[in-house]
Every structure is written in C-alpha cells, then in structure tokens.
Amino acid sequence: REAPPFRQLSEGERWDKWASTFATHASKIRKLGFSGFPTPQKADPGWSPRVTPILDDVVFRADSSTLERLSCIDGMYSENLFQSIPASVQVLEFYVNAETYTFRHEGALVAMLEQGVPQRGLKLRLLRMVGPEECREGLLNVENVCAMSGIAYAFIPVNPPLHTPPTRPPIRWG
C-alpha cells in the first residue's frame, strides 16, 4: 500500500490548522493573552497581517470555570466572542485598532456589559483598553457603561510606533 502523496499546505491552511489545534488544547487555560498590533514587516512590503478570529472558538471551548483573564488583539475575535465569555472571566483586555483608532465591536461589548453582569452572572471586575491616545475619547461610552456596571475601567495609551508595550510578550497563556 502506497502512502498518499504529500501535499504542501497553503499559508491560510497552515494557520487554520494551527488555530483549530490551539483551540482544542486550550480548553483548560486560566489566562490567555495576545497583545500588540499586527504591523507590516519592513523587509517584505507585500506582507499583510492575516489575523483570524480564533478566540471565538477558544473561548467557546474553554472550561467555563477556568478562564479568568483574556487579552485580545483586533481581528482575533468577532462579535460572537461577547456572547460566549464564561462567567469566570475577571479581566478583559482589548487592543484597539492602531490604524483606524476604533474598536469595531463596541456595540457587542457594551451589550455584554449591560446584560452580562446581571443576567449571566459574569465575575468581570476589570476592563482594559489599549491603544493610541487618539482612541481614548471614542471609548467614553464603554467607560461609562463600566462605571454603571461596577466594573473598573482602564485605558492604557500606547504611542506609535511602539505598538506593543515593552513589558508584554505578544502571546502568553497559563
């Protein structure tokens, strides 16, 4: 019997396979963080970041009693994330898009904050937003909803071209 011929996976297929495998093995994680901002590599002007919303699946598969802290970069999640955040999550951190100065899932986040704490029994106690100073004013609604929900809010300014705070690794889990 002959082995099937080896087929080279495309970059997209490799990423999707990695994301699926990671989601499967991440079910018992307590802390998961992706930090920073996808930026083009200077050596390859044709490079563009391919960020897939894998965190929707990771969080959905997570044991609802173990995940306590989640940090996300723009593009690694969709609006679906906010519907499946387990009650055990105490700290959420989002990196605001550094090019557009917007948080595109603000509506879903606000809905989760307004409804999630009383209806789902969320234990969320801190929401951090990380981005350029120009983003701060655009997040006042999120800050106000946090105050009304009894959740601490922090905005952490990052000055381009730094993008990633120097004390934060790009990926961490535990």
Short mmCIF file of all heavy atoms in Angstrom, two decimals, residues 53-122:
data_model
loop_
_atom_site.label_atom_id
_atom_site.label_comp_id
_atom_site.label_asym_id
_atom_site.label_seq_id
_atom_site.Cartn_x
_atom_site.Cartn_y
_atom_site.Cartn_z
N PRO A 53 -10.25 35.15 13.54
CA PRO A 53 -10.94 35.22 14.83
C PRO A 53 -10.99 33.87 15.56
O PRO A 53 -12.05 33.32 15.82
CB PRO A 53 -12.34 35.72 14.45
CG PRO A 53 -12.53 35.34 13.04
CD PRO A 53 -11.16 35.32 12.43
N ILE A 54 -9.81 33.35 15.92
CA ILE A 54 -9.75 32.05 16.59
C ILE A 54 -10.23 32.11 18.04
O ILE A 54 -10.62 31.11 18.60
CB ILE A 54 -8.34 31.44 16.57
CG1 ILE A 54 -7.37 32.29 17.38
CG2 ILE A 54 -7.87 31.21 15.17
CD1 ILE A 54 -6.10 31.57 17.74
N LEU A 55 -10.19 33.29 18.66
CA LEU A 55 -10.55 33.36 20.07
C LEU A 55 -12.03 33.06 20.31
O LEU A 55 -12.39 32.61 21.39
CB LEU A 55 -10.18 34.72 20.66
CG LEU A 55 -8.67 34.92 20.80
CD1 LEU A 55 -8.37 36.29 21.38
CD2 LEU A 55 -8.05 33.84 21.66
N ASP A 56 -12.88 33.27 19.31
CA ASP A 56 -14.29 32.89 19.45
C ASP A 56 -14.37 31.40 19.79
O ASP A 56 -15.07 31.00 20.72
CB ASP A 56 -15.06 33.14 18.16
CG ASP A 56 -15.16 34.61 17.79
OD1 ASP A 56 -14.71 35.46 18.57
OD2 ASP A 56 -15.68 34.89 16.70
N ASP A 57 -13.62 30.60 19.03
CA ASP A 57 -13.65 29.15 19.22
C ASP A 57 -12.94 28.74 20.51
O ASP A 57 -13.42 27.89 21.25
CB ASP A 57 -13.01 28.47 18.01
CG ASP A 57 -13.28 26.97 17.98
OD1 ASP A 57 -14.37 26.55 18.41
OD2 ASP A 57 -12.40 26.22 17.51
N VAL A 58 -11.81 29.37 20.81
CA VAL A 58 -11.06 29.03 22.02
C VAL A 58 -11.91 29.31 23.25
O VAL A 58 -12.03 28.46 24.14
CB VAL A 58 -9.74 29.83 22.11
CG1 VAL A 58 -9.07 29.67 23.46
CG2 VAL A 58 -8.79 29.40 21.00
N VAL A 59 -12.53 30.48 23.30
CA VAL A 59 -13.35 30.84 24.46
C VAL A 59 -14.59 29.96 24.54
O VAL A 59 -14.99 29.53 25.62
CB VAL A 59 -13.72 32.34 24.41
CG1 VAL A 59 -14.75 32.69 25.47
CG2 VAL A 59 -12.46 33.18 24.61
N PHE A 60 -15.18 29.65 23.39
CA PHE A 60 -16.36 28.79 23.39
C PHE A 60 -16.03 27.41 23.95
O PHE A 60 -16.81 26.81 24.68
CB PHE A 60 -16.91 28.67 21.96
CG PHE A 60 -18.13 27.80 21.87
CD1 PHE A 60 -19.36 28.27 22.31
CD2 PHE A 60 -18.05 26.52 21.35
CE1 PHE A 60 -20.49 27.47 22.24
CE2 PHE A 60 -19.17 25.71 21.28
CZ PHE A 60 -20.40 26.19 21.73
N ARG A 61 -14.82 26.90 23.63
CA ARG A 61 -14.40 25.57 24.10
C ARG A 61 -13.84 25.59 25.51
O ARG A 61 -13.68 24.55 26.13
CB ARG A 61 -13.33 25.00 23.18
CG ARG A 61 -13.81 24.65 21.82
CD ARG A 61 -12.64 24.17 20.99
NE ARG A 61 -12.98 24.06 19.60
CZ ARG A 61 -12.68 23.01 18.86
NH1 ARG A 61 -12.03 22.00 19.38
NH2 ARG A 61 -13.02 22.98 17.60
N ALA A 62 -13.51 26.77 26.01
CA ALA A 62 -12.87 26.86 27.32
C ALA A 62 -13.79 26.33 28.41
O ALA A 62 -15.00 26.52 28.37
CB ALA A 62 -12.50 28.31 27.63
N ASP A 63 -13.20 25.68 29.37
CA ASP A 63 -13.94 25.22 30.54
C ASP A 63 -14.46 26.48 31.24
O ASP A 63 -13.68 27.36 31.60
CB ASP A 63 -13.01 24.44 31.45
CG ASP A 63 -13.71 23.89 32.67
OD1 ASP A 63 -14.63 24.55 33.18
OD2 ASP A 63 -13.33 22.80 33.11
N SER A 64 -15.75 26.58 31.39
CA SER A 64 -16.35 27.81 31.90
C SER A 64 -15.92 28.15 33.32
O SER A 64 -16.18 29.24 33.79
CB SER A 64 -17.87 27.72 31.83
OG SER A 64 -18.33 26.65 32.62
N SER A 65 -15.25 27.25 34.00
CA SER A 65 -14.82 27.55 35.36
C SER A 65 -13.34 27.90 35.45
O SER A 65 -12.87 28.23 36.53
CB SER A 65 -15.11 26.35 36.27
OG SER A 65 -14.34 25.24 35.87
N THR A 66 -12.59 27.85 34.34
CA THR A 66 -11.15 28.07 34.44
C THR A 66 -10.66 29.39 33.86
O THR A 66 -9.72 29.96 34.38
CB THR A 66 -10.37 26.93 33.76
OG1 THR A 66 -10.73 26.87 32.39
CG2 THR A 66 -10.63 25.60 34.44
N LEU A 67 -11.24 29.88 32.78
CA LEU A 67 -10.73 31.08 32.12
C LEU A 67 -11.00 32.31 32.98
O LEU A 67 -12.15 32.63 33.27
CB LEU A 67 -11.36 31.24 30.74
CG LEU A 67 -10.76 32.34 29.86
CD1 LEU A 67 -9.29 32.04 29.56
CD2 LEU A 67 -11.55 32.47 28.57
N GLU A 68 -9.91 33.00 33.41
CA GLU A 68 -10.04 34.16 34.29
C GLU A 68 -9.62 35.46 33.63
O GLU A 68 -10.08 36.52 34.01
CB GLU A 68 -9.17 33.96 35.55
CG GLU A 68 -9.59 32.79 36.39
CD GLU A 68 -8.62 32.51 37.51
OE1 GLU A 68 -7.56 33.17 37.61
OE2 GLU A 68 -8.91 31.61 38.31
N ARG A 69 -8.70 35.37 32.68
CA ARG A 69 -8.14 36.59 32.07
C ARG A 69 -7.99 36.36 30.58
O ARG A 69 -7.47 35.35 30.15
CB ARG A 69 -6.80 36.88 32.72
CG ARG A 69 -6.06 38.00 32.10
CD ARG A 69 -4.74 38.24 32.79
NE ARG A 69 -4.76 39.63 33.21
CZ ARG A 69 -4.47 40.05 34.41
NH1 ARG A 69 -4.12 39.22 35.34
NH2 ARG A 69 -4.51 41.33 34.68
N LEU A 70 -8.44 37.36 29.79
CA LEU A 70 -8.37 37.26 28.34
C LEU A 70 -7.94 38.59 27.75
O LEU A 70 -8.54 39.62 28.03
CB LEU A 70 -9.75 36.86 27.79
CG LEU A 70 -9.88 36.70 26.28
CD1 LEU A 70 -9.00 35.55 25.78
CD2 LEU A 70 -11.34 36.44 25.91
N SER A 71 -6.87 38.56 26.95
CA SER A 71 -6.37 39.74 26.24
C SER A 71 -6.44 39.45 24.75
O SER A 71 -5.99 38.40 24.30
CB SER A 71 -4.92 40.03 26.62
OG SER A 71 -4.81 40.30 27.98
N CYS A 72 -6.99 40.39 23.99
CA CYS A 72 -7.24 40.15 22.57
C CYS A 72 -6.72 41.29 21.70
O CYS A 72 -6.86 42.44 22.05
CB CYS A 72 -8.74 40.06 22.32
SG CYS A 72 -9.66 38.97 23.39
N ILE A 73 -6.19 40.93 20.54
CA ILE A 73 -5.85 41.95 19.55
C ILE A 73 -6.95 41.98 18.49
O ILE A 73 -7.65 41.00 18.27
CB ILE A 73 -4.46 41.73 18.90
CG1 ILE A 73 -4.40 40.40 18.15
CG2 ILE A 73 -3.36 41.83 19.92
CD1 ILE A 73 -3.13 40.21 17.34
N ASP A 74 -7.09 43.12 17.87
CA ASP A 74 -8.11 43.32 16.85
C ASP A 74 -7.97 42.28 15.75
O ASP A 74 -6.88 42.01 15.28
CB ASP A 74 -7.96 44.73 16.26
CG ASP A 74 -9.11 45.10 15.36
OD1 ASP A 74 -10.27 44.83 15.71
OD2 ASP A 74 -8.84 45.65 14.28
N GLY A 75 -9.07 41.65 15.39
CA GLY A 75 -9.08 40.65 14.33
C GLY A 75 -9.04 39.22 14.82
O GLY A 75 -9.39 38.30 14.08
N MET A 76 -8.63 38.99 16.07
CA MET A 76 -8.55 37.62 16.59
C MET A 76 -9.87 37.17 17.20
O MET A 76 -9.97 36.09 17.72
CB MET A 76 -7.44 37.49 17.60
CG MET A 76 -6.08 37.64 16.97
SD MET A 76 -4.77 36.96 17.96
CE MET A 76 -5.00 35.22 17.66
N TYR A 77 -10.90 38.02 17.13
CA TYR A 77 -12.21 37.67 17.66
C TYR A 77 -13.26 38.42 16.84
O TYR A 77 -12.95 39.37 16.12
CB TYR A 77 -12.32 38.05 19.14
CG TYR A 77 -12.09 39.52 19.39
CD1 TYR A 77 -13.16 40.40 19.44
CD2 TYR A 77 -10.80 40.03 19.51
CE1 TYR A 77 -12.94 41.75 19.62
CE2 TYR A 77 -10.59 41.37 19.70
CZ TYR A 77 -11.65 42.23 19.75
OH TYR A 77 -11.44 43.57 19.94
N SER A 78 -14.49 37.98 16.97
CA SER A 78 -15.61 38.66 16.31
C SER A 78 -16.63 39.04 17.38
O SER A 78 -16.39 38.81 18.58
CB SER A 78 -16.25 37.74 15.27
OG SER A 78 -16.97 36.70 15.91
N GLU A 79 -17.76 39.56 16.96
CA GLU A 79 -18.82 39.91 17.92
C GLU A 79 -19.31 38.68 18.69
O GLU A 79 -19.82 38.80 19.79
CB GLU A 79 -19.99 40.57 17.19
CG GLU A 79 -19.67 41.96 16.73
CD GLU A 79 -20.89 42.68 16.17
OE1 GLU A 79 -21.97 42.07 16.06
OE2 GLU A 79 -20.74 43.86 15.85
N ASN A 80 -19.13 37.50 18.11
CA ASN A 80 -19.57 36.26 18.77
C ASN A 80 -18.85 36.02 20.09
O ASN A 80 -19.39 35.35 20.97
CB ASN A 80 -19.36 35.06 17.85
CG ASN A 80 -20.19 35.16 16.60
OD1 ASN A 80 -21.27 35.75 16.60
ND2 ASN A 80 -19.70 34.60 15.52
N LEU A 81 -17.65 36.54 20.22
CA LEU A 81 -16.88 36.34 21.45
C LEU A 81 -17.67 36.81 22.67
O LEU A 81 -17.69 36.15 23.71
CB LEU A 81 -15.55 37.10 21.37
CG LEU A 81 -14.71 37.10 22.65
CD1 LEU A 81 -14.05 35.74 22.82
CD2 LEU A 81 -13.67 38.19 22.60
N PHE A 82 -18.35 37.94 22.55
CA PHE A 82 -19.03 38.54 23.70
C PHE A 82 -20.24 37.75 24.16
O PHE A 82 -20.69 37.91 25.28
CB PHE A 82 -19.40 39.99 23.36
CG PHE A 82 -18.19 40.81 23.02
CD1 PHE A 82 -17.85 41.05 21.70
CD2 PHE A 82 -17.37 41.29 24.02
CE1 PHE A 82 -16.72 41.79 21.38
CE2 PHE A 82 -16.23 42.02 23.71
CZ PHE A 82 -15.90 42.27 22.40
N GLN A 83 -20.73 36.87 23.31
CA GLN A 83 -21.86 36.02 23.69
C GLN A 83 -21.41 34.77 24.43
O GLN A 83 -22.21 34.10 25.06
CB GLN A 83 -22.66 35.64 22.45
CG GLN A 83 -23.27 36.84 21.76
CD GLN A 83 -23.76 36.51 20.37
OE1 GLN A 83 -23.77 35.35 19.96
NE2 GLN A 83 -24.17 37.52 19.64
N SER A 84 -20.11 34.43 24.33
CA SER A 84 -19.66 33.17 24.92
C SER A 84 -18.61 33.34 26.02
O SER A 84 -18.04 32.36 26.48
CB SER A 84 -19.11 32.25 23.82
OG SER A 84 -18.03 32.86 23.14
N ILE A 85 -18.36 34.57 26.44
CA ILE A 85 -17.37 34.77 27.52
C ILE A 85 -17.90 34.10 28.78
O ILE A 85 -19.00 34.39 29.23
CB ILE A 85 -17.09 36.26 27.75
CG1 ILE A 85 -16.29 36.78 26.56
CG2 ILE A 85 -16.36 36.49 29.07
CD1 ILE A 85 -15.85 38.20 26.66
N PRO A 86 -17.12 33.17 29.35
CA PRO A 86 -17.57 32.45 30.55
C PRO A 86 -17.70 33.38 31.75
O PRO A 86 -17.00 34.38 31.85
CB PRO A 86 -16.47 31.41 30.79
CG PRO A 86 -15.63 31.40 29.58
CD PRO A 86 -15.82 32.69 28.87
N ALA A 87 -18.56 33.01 32.67
CA ALA A 87 -18.79 33.81 33.88
C ALA A 87 -17.52 33.95 34.71
O ALA A 87 -17.36 34.91 35.46
CB ALA A 87 -19.89 33.17 34.72
N SER A 88 -16.57 33.02 34.57
CA SER A 88 -15.36 33.03 35.38
C SER A 88 -14.37 34.13 35.00
O SER A 88 -13.46 34.44 35.76
CB SER A 88 -14.65 31.67 35.27
OG SER A 88 -14.33 31.41 33.91
N VAL A 89 -14.52 34.75 33.82
CA VAL A 89 -13.58 35.78 33.36
C VAL A 89 -13.68 37.01 34.27
O VAL A 89 -14.76 37.56 34.45
CB VAL A 89 -13.82 36.16 31.88
CG1 VAL A 89 -12.97 37.35 31.48
CG2 VAL A 89 -13.51 34.98 30.99
N GLN A 90 -12.53 37.40 34.82
CA GLN A 90 -12.47 38.55 35.72
C GLN A 90 -11.82 39.76 35.07
O GLN A 90 -12.09 40.90 35.46
CB GLN A 90 -11.69 38.17 36.98
CG GLN A 90 -12.34 37.06 37.76
CD GLN A 90 -11.46 36.60 38.90
OE1 GLN A 90 -10.59 37.32 39.38
NE2 GLN A 90 -11.67 35.38 39.33
N VAL A 91 -10.92 39.53 34.10
CA VAL A 91 -10.20 40.63 33.45
C VAL A 91 -10.27 40.44 31.94
O VAL A 91 -9.94 39.38 31.42
CB VAL A 91 -8.71 40.66 33.90
CG1 VAL A 91 -7.97 41.78 33.18
CG2 VAL A 91 -8.59 40.80 35.41
N LEU A 92 -10.70 41.49 31.26
CA LEU A 92 -10.70 41.53 29.79
C LEU A 92 -9.82 42.67 29.34
O LEU A 92 -9.83 43.75 29.95
CB LEU A 92 -12.11 41.77 29.25
CG LEU A 92 -13.06 40.59 29.18
CD1 LEU A 92 -14.44 41.06 28.74
CD2 LEU A 92 -12.54 39.54 28.22
N GLU A 93 -9.07 42.44 28.28
CA GLU A 93 -8.19 43.48 27.74
C GLU A 93 -8.28 43.43 26.22
O GLU A 93 -8.14 42.36 25.63
CB GLU A 93 -6.76 43.22 28.20
CG GLU A 93 -5.77 44.26 27.76
CD GLU A 93 -4.41 44.00 28.38
OE1 GLU A 93 -3.68 43.14 27.86
OE2 GLU A 93 -4.11 44.64 29.41
N PHE A 94 -8.54 44.58 25.62
CA PHE A 94 -8.66 44.65 24.17
C PHE A 94 -7.70 45.69 23.62
O PHE A 94 -7.56 46.77 24.18
CB PHE A 94 -10.09 45.03 23.75
CG PHE A 94 -11.09 43.99 24.12
CD1 PHE A 94 -11.87 44.12 25.24
CD2 PHE A 94 -11.24 42.85 23.32
CE1 PHE A 94 -12.81 43.15 25.59
CE2 PHE A 94 -12.17 41.88 23.67
CZ PHE A 94 -12.95 42.03 24.80
N TYR A 95 -7.04 45.35 22.53
CA TYR A 95 -6.16 46.27 21.82
C TYR A 95 -6.97 46.92 20.71
O TYR A 95 -7.49 46.24 19.83
CB TYR A 95 -4.94 45.52 21.26
CG TYR A 95 -3.93 45.22 22.32
CD1 TYR A 95 -4.20 44.30 23.32
CD2 TYR A 95 -2.73 45.89 22.36
CE1 TYR A 95 -3.30 44.04 24.32
CE2 TYR A 95 -1.80 45.65 23.36
CZ TYR A 95 -2.10 44.72 24.33
OH TYR A 95 -1.19 44.47 25.32
N VAL A 96 -7.09 48.23 20.77
CA VAL A 96 -7.87 49.00 19.80
C VAL A 96 -7.06 49.12 18.51
O VAL A 96 -5.83 49.26 18.55
CB VAL A 96 -8.20 50.40 20.37
CG1 VAL A 96 -9.00 51.22 19.39
CG2 VAL A 96 -8.94 50.26 21.69
N ASN A 97 -7.73 49.08 17.37
CA ASN A 97 -7.06 49.16 16.08
C ASN A 97 -6.20 50.42 16.02
O ASN A 97 -6.71 51.54 16.13
CB ASN A 97 -8.10 49.16 14.95
CG ASN A 97 -7.46 49.07 13.59
OD1 ASN A 97 -6.58 49.84 13.24
ND2 ASN A 97 -7.89 48.10 12.82
N ALA A 98 -4.89 50.24 15.84
CA ALA A 98 -3.94 51.34 15.90
C ALA A 98 -3.95 52.19 14.64
O ALA A 98 -3.42 53.29 14.63
CB ALA A 98 -2.54 50.80 16.13
N GLU A 99 -4.53 51.69 13.55
CA GLU A 99 -4.57 52.47 12.31
C GLU A 99 -5.84 53.30 12.20
O GLU A 99 -5.80 54.42 11.71
CB GLU A 99 -4.43 51.54 11.12
CG GLU A 99 -3.06 50.89 11.03
CD GLU A 99 -2.94 49.92 9.87
OE1 GLU A 99 -3.88 49.87 9.03
OE2 GLU A 99 -1.93 49.23 9.79
N THR A 100 -6.97 52.75 12.63
CA THR A 100 -8.24 53.46 12.48
C THR A 100 -8.69 54.12 13.78
O THR A 100 -9.65 54.89 13.77
CB THR A 100 -9.35 52.51 12.02
OG1 THR A 100 -9.56 51.51 13.04
CG2 THR A 100 -8.99 51.83 10.71
N TYR A 101 -8.01 53.82 14.89
CA TYR A 101 -8.36 54.35 16.20
C TYR A 101 -9.80 53.99 16.60
O TYR A 101 -10.48 54.76 17.25
CB TYR A 101 -8.19 55.87 16.27
CG TYR A 101 -6.81 56.35 15.92
CD1 TYR A 101 -6.62 57.38 15.02
CD2 TYR A 101 -5.69 55.77 16.50
CE1 TYR A 101 -5.34 57.82 14.69
CE2 TYR A 101 -4.41 56.19 16.19
CZ TYR A 101 -4.25 57.22 15.28
OH TYR A 101 -2.99 57.65 14.97
N THR A 102 -10.25 52.83 16.18
CA THR A 102 -11.61 52.42 16.51
C THR A 102 -11.62 51.04 17.17
O THR A 102 -10.72 50.25 16.99
CB THR A 102 -12.50 52.35 15.25
OG1 THR A 102 -11.93 51.41 14.34
CG2 THR A 102 -12.63 53.70 14.59
N PHE A 103 -12.69 50.80 17.91
CA PHE A 103 -12.95 49.49 18.48
C PHE A 103 -14.23 49.02 17.81
O PHE A 103 -15.33 49.43 18.16
CB PHE A 103 -13.11 49.58 20.00
CG PHE A 103 -13.32 48.25 20.64
CD1 PHE A 103 -12.34 47.27 20.59
CD2 PHE A 103 -14.50 47.95 21.30
CE1 PHE A 103 -12.52 46.04 21.17
CE2 PHE A 103 -14.70 46.72 21.89
CZ PHE A 103 -13.70 45.76 21.82
N ARG A 104 -14.08 48.18 16.80
CA ARG A 104 -15.21 47.86 15.92
C ARG A 104 -16.30 47.01 16.56
O ARG A 104 -17.37 46.91 16.02
CB ARG A 104 -14.73 47.24 14.63
CG ARG A 104 -14.01 45.94 14.77
CD ARG A 104 -13.51 45.49 13.43
NE ARG A 104 -12.45 44.53 13.62
CZ ARG A 104 -12.15 43.62 12.75
NH1 ARG A 104 -12.82 43.54 11.64
NH2 ARG A 104 -11.17 42.80 12.98
N HIS A 105 -16.04 46.42 17.70
CA HIS A 105 -17.06 45.59 18.35
C HIS A 105 -17.61 46.27 19.61
O HIS A 105 -18.04 45.60 20.56
CB HIS A 105 -16.50 44.21 18.69
CG HIS A 105 -16.02 43.48 17.48
ND1 HIS A 105 -16.84 43.17 16.42
CD2 HIS A 105 -14.81 43.00 17.14
CE1 HIS A 105 -16.16 42.52 15.49
NE2 HIS A 105 -14.92 42.42 15.91
N GLU A 106 -17.59 47.58 19.62
CA GLU A 106 -18.06 48.32 20.79
C GLU A 106 -19.50 47.98 21.15
O GLU A 106 -19.83 47.79 22.32
CB GLU A 106 -17.94 49.83 20.57
CG GLU A 106 -18.41 50.64 21.75
CD GLU A 106 -18.30 52.14 21.54
OE1 GLU A 106 -17.66 52.59 20.58
OE2 GLU A 106 -18.86 52.87 22.37
N GLY A 107 -20.37 47.87 20.17
CA GLY A 107 -21.77 47.56 20.44
C GLY A 107 -21.95 46.23 21.16
O GLY A 107 -22.72 46.12 22.13
N ALA A 108 -21.23 45.21 20.70
CA ALA A 108 -21.32 43.88 21.33
C ALA A 108 -20.74 43.91 22.74
O ALA A 108 -21.27 43.26 23.65
CB ALA A 108 -20.61 42.84 20.47
N LEU A 109 -19.65 44.65 22.93
CA LEU A 109 -19.04 44.76 24.26
C LEU A 109 -19.99 45.47 25.22
O LEU A 109 -20.22 45.00 26.34
CB LEU A 109 -17.71 45.51 24.19
CG LEU A 109 -17.05 45.85 25.52
CD1 LEU A 109 -16.71 44.60 26.32
CD2 LEU A 109 -15.80 46.69 25.29
N VAL A 110 -20.56 46.58 24.78
CA VAL A 110 -21.48 47.33 25.63
C VAL A 110 -22.70 46.47 25.99
O VAL A 110 -23.13 46.44 27.15
CB VAL A 110 -21.90 48.66 24.96
CG1 VAL A 110 -23.09 49.29 25.65
CG2 VAL A 110 -20.72 49.62 24.93
N ALA A 111 -23.24 45.74 25.03
CA ALA A 111 -24.39 44.86 25.30
C ALA A 111 -24.02 43.80 26.35
O ALA A 111 -24.80 43.52 27.26
CB ALA A 111 -24.87 44.20 24.01
N MET A 112 -22.81 43.24 26.22
CA MET A 112 -22.38 42.23 27.20
C MET A 112 -22.25 42.86 28.59
O MET A 112 -22.67 42.27 29.58
CB MET A 112 -21.05 41.62 26.79
CG MET A 112 -20.58 40.53 27.76
SD MET A 112 -18.82 40.20 27.68
CE MET A 112 -18.14 41.63 28.46
N LEU A 113 -21.69 44.06 28.66
CA LEU A 113 -21.51 44.72 29.95
C LEU A 113 -22.86 45.05 30.58
O LEU A 113 -23.04 44.89 31.79
CB LEU A 113 -20.68 45.99 29.79
CG LEU A 113 -19.22 45.80 29.38
CD1 LEU A 113 -18.58 47.14 29.06
CD2 LEU A 113 -18.45 45.06 30.44
N GLU A 114 -23.80 45.52 29.77
CA GLU A 114 -25.11 45.92 30.30
C GLU A 114 -25.95 44.72 30.71
O GLU A 114 -26.66 44.76 31.70
CB GLU A 114 -25.87 46.74 29.26
CG GLU A 114 -25.29 48.12 29.05
CD GLU A 114 -25.99 48.90 27.96
OE1 GLU A 114 -26.64 48.29 27.06
OE2 GLU A 114 -25.88 50.14 27.98
N GLN A 115 -25.87 43.64 29.94
CA GLN A 115 -26.73 42.48 30.19
C GLN A 115 -26.00 41.33 30.87
O GLN A 115 -26.60 40.59 31.63
CB GLN A 115 -27.32 41.97 28.87
CG GLN A 115 -28.13 43.02 28.15
CD GLN A 115 -28.34 42.67 26.69
OE1 GLN A 115 -27.94 41.60 26.24
NE2 GLN A 115 -28.97 43.57 25.95
N GLY A 116 -24.71 41.19 30.59
CA GLY A 116 -23.97 40.03 31.05
C GLY A 116 -23.76 39.94 32.53
O GLY A 116 -23.84 38.86 33.12
N VAL A 117 -23.49 41.06 33.15
CA VAL A 117 -23.20 41.02 34.58
C VAL A 117 -24.43 40.56 35.36
O VAL A 117 -24.37 39.57 36.09
CB VAL A 117 -22.64 42.37 35.08
CG1 VAL A 117 -22.43 42.34 36.58
CG2 VAL A 117 -21.32 42.68 34.37
N PRO A 118 -25.60 41.20 35.17
CA PRO A 118 -26.75 40.73 35.95
C PRO A 118 -27.35 39.42 35.45
O PRO A 118 -27.72 38.57 36.25
CB PRO A 118 -27.77 41.88 35.82
CG PRO A 118 -27.35 42.66 34.64
CD PRO A 118 -25.88 42.42 34.44
N GLN A 119 -27.45 39.23 34.15
CA GLN A 119 -28.16 38.06 33.61
C GLN A 119 -27.31 36.80 33.55
O GLN A 119 -27.82 35.71 33.76
CB GLN A 119 -28.70 38.36 32.21
CG GLN A 119 -29.78 39.42 32.23
CD GLN A 119 -30.22 39.80 30.82
OE1 GLN A 119 -29.72 39.29 29.83
NE2 GLN A 119 -31.17 40.72 30.74
N ARG A 120 -26.03 36.93 33.25
CA ARG A 120 -25.17 35.76 33.12
C ARG A 120 -24.29 35.55 34.34
O ARG A 120 -23.52 34.60 34.39
CB ARG A 120 -24.30 35.88 31.86
CG ARG A 120 -25.12 35.75 30.61
CD ARG A 120 -24.36 35.90 29.32
NE ARG A 120 -22.97 35.54 29.33
CZ ARG A 120 -22.08 36.02 28.46
NH1 ARG A 120 -22.45 36.86 27.54
NH2 ARG A 120 -20.83 35.65 28.51
N GLY A 121 -24.35 36.45 35.28
CA GLY A 121 -23.54 36.30 36.49
C GLY A 121 -22.05 36.44 36.22
O GLY A 121 -21.24 35.80 36.89
N LEU A 122 -21.68 37.30 35.26
CA LEU A 122 -20.26 37.49 34.97
C LEU A 122 -19.53 38.04 36.19
O LEU A 122 -20.04 38.91 36.89
CB LEU A 122 -20.08 38.45 33.79
CG LEU A 122 -20.54 37.97 32.43
CD1 LEU A 122 -20.29 39.05 31.38
CD2 LEU A 122 -19.84 36.69 32.02
#
